[in-house]
Amino acid sequence: MDVHATFKALVVTKGEDKQFTRAIQERTIAELPPGDLLVRVRYSSLNYKDALSATGHPGVTRQFPHTPGIDAAGEVISCASGKFAPGQQVLITGYDLGMETDGGWGGCIRIPSEWAVPLPASLDLRESMIIGTAGFTAALSVLKLEQAGVKPGTGDVLVTGATGGVGSIAVSILARAGYRVVAATGKNNDEAYLHTLGASEVISREQLIEGADRPMLKERWAGVVDVVGGEMLVAALKSTRYGGAATCCGLVGSTDLVMNIYPFILRGVSLIGIDSVNCPMEPRLQVWERLSGAWRPEHLATVANEVTLDDLEKKLQAILQGTIRGRTVISLP
C-alpha cells in the first residue's frame, strides 16, 4: 500500500492549555509507528482504558497526538515477517496497542506481528470485537478459576460489575460452562438483561457489601470474578467459601484493597490477578480457542451496541460515568 494512502482515525490532541480534544482526521500510512504488520481495521471496540486514553489519563497514554483503541480486527495488508499472508483476518488485543501505539480507532494500524492472533474460524471480525479485550479478560478469569479448582457444581460464582463489558461476558461464559452465576450490579433496572445472559440470581451492590466492615462474612461463593475492586472485592473475599478463589481485573471502585488477611489464612482463599495486556501467546491462543468454541458467549447480539467513529463521543462519556451496558463495537469506514 502507498505510504501516502489515507484513512480516517479519531485523534486525541493535547493543547497548550493541557486540555484534550478529540476529532476525526485523515491520516496517512506514513504517520503510523514502526512495525512489520500492517492491518486494515474493520472493527474495534470501546473499553474503559480507551476512555482514559481518549481523555488524556497519563497512566495510559502520555504521547499526543494519539489514536486510542486497545482492540482491533481486520485484514492484513502486508507482513514483512511472513507470519501472516495479505488478506488474512487477524485480531489484536492488549500489548501496547491504543496506549502509546496508535490503536484501533483508526482505519489502519501498524504493529509487531507478534501481537496478532489469527481470527478463529468460528468468529467473524465483528463478533471478535464484541468479545474483544473485555471478553478475553472475562474468559481468562474463568480459566484461572477453573485452574484453581472452581468447577461447575462446586457452588455459586459471583460476578461483580455484571452489566459492564467484562461482567456481561463473564456471566454468559460461566452460565454456558455450567456454573450457577450470581450477578452483582449497581444498576437496579438491568435484572432482566442479566437473567437473559444466564445469571441465576441478581443482587445489588448494597446486598453484597452489607456487613463488610466485619472481619469475616458468611461463606457463600465458590468463586468470584471481580471487575470493580474496592469494597465490593473486599466483601466478596470475606464471603468466599473455604478453598475458593477470586479473580481481580478491575479498579473502577478503587485501587485500594483495605481488609484483613483472615479469608486467606483461615479459609485458604486465593486472590488471582488477571492481566490481559501482556498475557503470553500460548494461554492467549488457548483462551481464544475457548471463546470461539465451548465458551463462545451465546448472547453476543444482546450485549453489543454498534457505533461509528462519529457516534463514539456519547458512548465514551457513558463509560466514564459508569452508565454504559454491555459492549460497544466500532465499525471503521
Side-chain angles (χ1 to χ4, degrees):
M1 176 176 280
D2 184 353
V3 295
H4 300 295
T6 62
F7 59 90
K8 288 186 177 181
L10 189 148
V11 179
V12 183
T13 304
K14 183 178 182 180
E16 293 183 1
D17 58 358
K18 297 184 179 180
Q19 296 299 306
F20 294 88
T21 57
R22 293 170 292 280
I24 298 172
Q25 300 179 8
E26 291 281 341
R27 301 195 67 201
T28 67
I29 300 297
E31 295 177 275
L32 291 172
D36 63 310
L37 179 63
L38 182 63
V39 177
R40 173 68 171 90
V41 179
R42 299 298 181 182
Y43 292 96
S44 184
S45 71
L46 171 62
N47 301 277
Y48 186 68
K49 187 181 286 185
D50 295 319
L52 295 179
S53 176
T55 53
H57 194 292
V60 180
T61 304
R62 294 181 178 273
Q63 299 180 37
F64 297 90
H66 174 69
T67 296
I70 64 172
D71 293 343
E75 297 99 10
V76 172
I77 297 171
S78 63
C79 182
S81 71
K83 183 176 181 180
F84 297 100
Q88 185 174 354
Q89 294 184 322
V90 295
L91 64 90
I92 305 96
T93 62
Y95 299 102
D96 191 52
L97 185 70
M99 297 177 68
E100 298 295 358
T101 300
D102 287 328
W105 292 6
C108 290
I109 57 172
R110 188 159 52 198
I111 58 169
S113 57
E114 291 79 10
W115 294 1
V117 171
L119 183 74
S122 62
L123 294 175
D124 62 32
L125 293 173
R126 183 178 183 274
E127 290 169 335
S128 76
M129 289 294 94
I130 298 173
I131 295 171
T133 286
F136 179 82
T137 303
L140 185 57
S141 299
V142 176
L143 180 65
K144 293 294 185 180
L145 288 182
E146 183 184 84
Q147 291 172 345
V150 181
K151 308 290 186 181
T154 57
D156 290 353
V157 174
L158 171 72
V159 178
T160 67
T163 59
V166 178
S168 292
I169 298 181
V171 170
S172 183
I173 291 171
L174 286 162
R176 177 156 190 183
Y179 293 87
R180 185 180 189 277
V181 185
V182 178
T185 179
K187 300 175 183 176
N188 298 327
N189 298 324
D190 285 334
E191 185 169 346
Y193 166 76
L194 291 168
H195 283 306
T196 297
L197 297 184
S200 297
E201 184 179 346
V202 179
I203 63 173
S204 68
R205 177 187 298 136
E206 290 72 26
Q207 287 174 286
L208 175 61
I209 65 174
E210 183 179 0
D213 54 336
R214 299 198 296 268
M216 296 272 271
L217 296 173
K218 182 180 179 181
E219 295 179 61
R220 178 163 187 189
W221 319 117
V224 176
V225 175
D226 175 68
V227 305
V228 178
E231 62 181 357
M232 292 187 76
L233 177 56
V234 169
L237 288 167
K238 288 183 177 181
S239 49
T240 297
R241 291 166 47 175
Y242 188 91
T247 63
C248 173
C249 67
L251 46 73
V252 176
S254 175
T255 58
D256 296 325
L257 187 64
V258 183
M259 63 177 292
N260 61 63
I261 63 171
Y262 292 150
F264 308 113
I265 63 173
L266 297 182
R267 290 181 182 164
V269 171
S270 298
L271 176 59
I272 305 168
I274 300 297
D275 169 49
S276 61
V277 176
N278 295 303
C279 177
M281 187 54 70
E282 184 176 348
R284 187 179 292 270
L285 292 172
Q286 182 182 1
V287 168
W288 278 108
E289 182 180 0
R290 292 281 193 101
L291 279 167
S292 62
W295 287 358
R296 179 189 171 100
E298 291 187 292
H299 305 284
L300 287 177
T302 302
V303 303
N305 296 284
E306 184 172 328
V307 300
T308 65
L309 290 178
D310 295 307
D311 306 322
L312 192 50
E313 184 65 28
K314 288 183 180 179
K315 293 292 185 178
L316 194 155
Q317 296 302 326
I319 200 169
L320 287 170
Q321 294 163 12
T323 58
I324 206 162
R325 186 175 83 173
R327 292 282 289 152
T328 298
V329 62
I330 304 161
S331 61
L332 279 294

